[in-house]
């Protein structure tokens, strides 16, 4: 089996514990590795996000990551059912990607998307 290289976002968090709780309890991620005060790794399926402790509360407000794939429609349905705060509608954007957004408690933007043709017949 080939272990393909992946890109993993590393985003700032002014409160690692609050980030852990949000991603674990609201979005269904699993905490990976040892719990630390200054670093956090969460994973859900093939989605992995790292967080580093930052005292600059402005950094998360200008940070984002993009999550793409066929699982995106099911994630939106699940997050809607969980009443996740700051969840946008799931809609086709002008650049022809069907997307939704979530801001975490600190302002980090998670952008989820897939090409509309990738989900024909699913929705």
């Amino acid at each position: 089996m080939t272990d393909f290289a992946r890109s993993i976002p590393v985003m700032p968090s002014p409160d690692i514990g609050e980030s852990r709780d949000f991603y674990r309890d609201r979005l269904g991620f699993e905490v990976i590795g040892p719990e630390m005060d200054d670093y956090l790794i969460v994973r859900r399926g093939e989605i992995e996000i790292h967080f580093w402790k930052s005292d600059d509360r402005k950094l998360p407000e200008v940070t984002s990551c993009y999550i793409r794939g066929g699982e995106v429609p099911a994630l939106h349905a699940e997050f809607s059912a969980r009443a996740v705060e700051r969840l946008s509608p799931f809609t086709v954007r002008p650049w022809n990607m069907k997307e939704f957004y979530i801001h975490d408690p600190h302002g980090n933007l998670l952008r989820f998307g897939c090409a509309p043709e990738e989900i024909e017949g699913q929705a």
Side-chain angles (χ1 to χ4, degrees), residues 81-113:
R82 289 179 177 222
V84 170
E85 303 83 8
R86 300 176 76 184
L87 174 66
S88 77
F90 189 33
T91 148
V92 177
R93 307 294 174 180
W95 44 91
N96 198 37
M97 290 294 287
K98 190 164 185 181
E99 298 178 340
F100 70 91
Y101 308 143
I102 296 173
H103 286 89
D104 76 10
H106 306 296
N108 287 302
L109 174 63
L110 302 177
R111 298 175 62 181
F112 294 81

Side-chain angles (χ1 to χ4, degrees), residues 4 7-8 25 29 74 78 82-83:
F4 292 103
S7 175
I8 298 173
D25 302 340
F29 281 75
E78 177 187 330
R82 289 179 177 222

Side-chain angles (χ1 to χ4, degrees), residues 27-44:
L27 301 185
F29 281 75
E30 176 185 355
V31 175
I32 303 301
E35 294 218 20
M36 298 173 272
D37 294 334
D38 61 352
Y39 206 82
L40 171 68
I41 302 171
V42 295
R43 183 180 304 143
R44 179 181 170 137

Side-chain angles (χ1 to χ4, degrees), residues 7-98:
S7 175
I8 298 173
V10 182
M11 302 198 303
S13 171
D15 185 325
I16 293 293
E18 189 175 7
S19 293
R20 177 200 63 226
D21 293 349
F22 176 77
Y23 283 86
R24 181 190 63 206
D25 302 340
R26 300 299 295 147
L27 301 185
F29 281 75
E30 176 185 355
V31 175
I32 303 301
E35 294 218 20
M36 298 173 272
D37 294 334
D38 61 352
Y39 206 82
L40 171 68
I41 302 171
V42 295
R43 183 180 304 143
R44 179 181 170 137
E46 294 297 313
I47 304 167
E48 184 172 312
I49 305 172
H50 294 206
F51 296 88
W52 59 280
K53 174 84 167 90
S54 170
D55 292 328
D56 185 344
R57 292 194 168 270
K58 293 287 183 193
L59 283 179
E61 296 173 8
V62 295
T63 302
S64 67
C65 74
Y66 197 91
I67 298 161
R68 179 179 178 165
E71 184 183 7
V72 167
L75 288 171
H76 187 268
E78 177 187 330
F79 297 156
S80 292
R82 289 179 177 222
V84 170
E85 303 83 8
R86 300 176 76 184
L87 174 66
S88 77
F90 189 33
T91 148
V92 177
R93 307 294 174 180
W95 44 91
N96 198 37
M97 290 294 287
K98 190 164 185 181

